[in-house]
Amino acid sequence: MTEQMKTFRIVTLPGDGIGPEVVAETLRVLRAVGEATGFGLEVSEHLIGGAALDATDDPFPAVTAEACLAADAVLMGAVGGPKWDHFTGSKRPESGLLALRKTLGTFANLRPVSVPAALAASSPLREERVTGTDMLIVRELTGGIYFGEPRGRHAAEAGRWAENTMVYDEQEIARIAHVAFTWARRRRNKVTLVDKANVLVVSQLWREVVAEVHEASYADVEYDLLYVDNAAMQVVINPRQFDVVVTSNLFGDILSDLAATLPGSLGMLPSASVGGKVGLFEPVHGSAPDIVGEGKANPLATMLSGVMMLEELGEQAAAEAIRAGIDDVLEDNCRTRDMWQEGQQLVTTREMGQRVIEKVTQRLARVPA
Ligand code: IPM
Ligand code: MN
């Protein structure tokens, strides 16, 4: 008698540039782990970004939206590229991604930043500074200046002008604060709010509301404040001081790319966007149009996003096995182009996927059934 196997409905959105390459390798790993640990994936692929613009003249077609809303989870690659740079406003590939986040309602973007032991020595920052870094950037994802109205370009007699609006209401701030404090309790019990409260009234409201949430429900969690300019410097000079960093959409976008310098490559940073109808999992990096099709893309950020997806779906053992398998591959000195240094083994995107599958299946085979 075979038990009915658990099957997850996954929508993949490979998108543009290296997106399809890194999503393909991640899917191979997820399927292999599913076979070994006993879950199935029912995958349907849909269009987003520039690829969707080319095919349908819309960076976020309605079919894609419907499929995502009906899925257990969404795994995305990347969007954008020079081919679509002349598009403006809602016709940009990036608008497709923003519409996706808004449609799913995934207001909390979790971007963990750690430095695997095998990468510490090749970090552009000094090894002793980055070793032991373990921070979680909790970025607000569906509000702020990314979405605020009014927005747009205007023509006046005096010349062209344009505007974006940074706006948050207290409910939006409170709910992301709850996410940050909850994660802190599962980690090292510390939250740092990053803002620009010395200049922006929006940040002043963040300070008020986050302090209220802290006092009312999380007084046991250590809580401190940093201006974003200072935070940028602190990430570089003393990244180990951070546990959970909570911040707005724009500051989180910038700080997470900066934090990617710690492990040495944006190709290592995953993300999970949660709190909405369906979870969205995507690497922090972009579409890297300069290396498309050359086998140089690092699939590990997407694989680690897949790991976060499995964790959300309750497949902890499978998630842990992939994480450990990736560490094994790095310990073996296998590197894609972005991380490679003299004396190490240079592998392609595909080979990296294969190595991870080998390590993970070896690990799972060692576990007694
Ligand atoms: C990211 C990206 C996106 C963002 C772009 C592609 C819209 O930079 O996920 O960090 O700014 O959120
Ligand atoms: Mn970004």
Side-chain angles (χ1 to χ4, degrees):
M1 265 289 291
T2 51
E3 246 180 78
Q4 174 96 47
M5 192 171 62
K6 202 180 327 161
T7 298
F8 299 111
R9 283 163 309 159
I10 306 299
V11 164
T12 56
L13 306 173
D16 308 321
I18 60 170
E21 300 164 50
V22 294
V23 168
E25 285 321 305
T26 298
L27 267 185
R28 285 195 328 121
V29 172
L30 292 174
R31 284 192 198 283
V33 172
E35 263 170 46
T37 62
F39 65 84
L41 297 179
E42 192 186 302
V43 177
S44 59
E45 186 180 304
H46 287 274
L47 294 168
I48 194 166
L53 272 170
D54 285 351
T56 71
D57 208 28
D58 180 349
F60 186 54
V63 218
T64 300
E66 280 157 31
C68 291
L69 285 168
D72 293 318
V74 178
L75 181 68
M76 209 201 71
V79 295
K83 184 175 175 197
W84 305 281
D85 265 350
H86 59 284
F87 286 102
T88 54
S90 62
K91 279 275 159 82
R92 286 197 65 88
E94 291 83 358
S95 299
L97 173 55
L98 300 184
L100 168 67
R101 291 169 176 171
K102 200 73 172 175
T103 300
L104 297 181
T106 48
F107 68 87
N109 183 217
L110 311 173
R111 298 189 157 185
V113 182
S114 61
V115 181
L119 295 186
S122 54
S123 171
L125 301 175
R126 285 217 302 272
E127 183 174 0
E128 62 272 23
R129 288 224 173 130
V130 301
T131 299
T133 295
D134 180 12
M135 63 194 264
L136 176 66
I137 299 175
V138 176
R139 169 190 177 193
E140 201 291 327
L141 199 64
T142 52
I145 198 166
Y146 270 60
F147 294 95
E149 300 282 350
R151 62 192 282 124
R153 288 176 57 112
H154 311 277
E157 235 165 79
R160 291 161 293 174
W161 64 284
E163 64 185 329
N164 284 101
T165 305
M166 183 183 282
V167 54
Y168 275 108
D169 64 37
E170 64 174 296
Q171 287 78 17
E172 286 175 295
I173 301 167
R175 67 183 182 178
I176 194 77
H178 281 289
V179 172
F181 286 118
T182 303
W183 272 98
R185 278 190 180 149
R186 292 182 210 151
R187 296 168 45 95
R188 299 194 313 282
N189 217 40
K190 179 177 171 188
V191 169
T192 304
L193 169 61
V194 169
D195 63 24
K196 189 69 187 173
N198 48 349
V199 175
L200 303 174
V201 289
V202 173
S203 290
Q204 291 156 15
L205 181 65
W206 271 72
R207 285 205 172 190
E208 254 171 64
V209 174
V210 179
E212 286 161 14
V213 170
H214 176 241
E215 266 164 52
S217 314
Y218 306 92
D220 56 299
V221 180
E222 190 188 338
Y223 171 53
D224 66 7
L225 307 161
L226 270 185
Y227 294 137
V228 63
D229 46 356
N230 185 15
M233 187 178 73
Q234 296 298 327
V235 163
V236 172
I237 62 173
N238 181 14
R240 269 191 308 248
Q241 70 183 286
F242 295 110
D243 180 14
V244 174
V245 168
V246 63
T247 191
S248 60
N249 205 342
L250 180 63
F251 297 158
D253 177 49
I254 299 166
L255 278 184
S256 55
D257 267 41
L258 176 65
T261 56
L262 304 171
S265 171
L266 249 183
M268 288 304 298
L269 255 63
S271 91
S273 303
V274 297
K277 301 183 183 108
V278 180
L280 167 64
F281 302 84
E282 48 168 319
V284 169
H285 64 70
S287 60
D290 51 320
I291 57 165
V292 176
E294 295 181 16
K296 290 181 181 166
N298 183 352
L300 296 181
T302 311
M303 267 178 222
L304 289 164
S305 306
V307 167
M308 295 180 86
M309 178 175 91
L310 291 180
E311 283 166 348
E312 277 290 313
L313 294 171
E315 295 294 330
Q316 312 302 336
E320 201 35 61
I322 301 177
R323 237 185 246 291
I326 289 174
D327 280 342
D328 291 345
V329 171
L330 294 174
E331 292 291 343
D332 278 357
N333 274 323
C334 271
R335 300 284 190 275
T336 41
R337 191 87 222 175
D338 54 315
M339 310 184 285
W340 179 84
Q341 290 187 329
E342 203 60 51
Q344 297 180 318
Q345 205 187 331
L346 181 63
V347 296
T348 63
T349 311
R350 179 82 200 210
E351 284 162 354
M352 183 58 102
Q354 197 53 39
R355 296 295 177 104
V356 173
I357 290 175
E358 282 160 20
K359 292 293 184 186
V360 176
T361 36
Q362 275 167 23
R363 274 184 175 270
L364 290 168
R366 282 204 297 272
V367 179

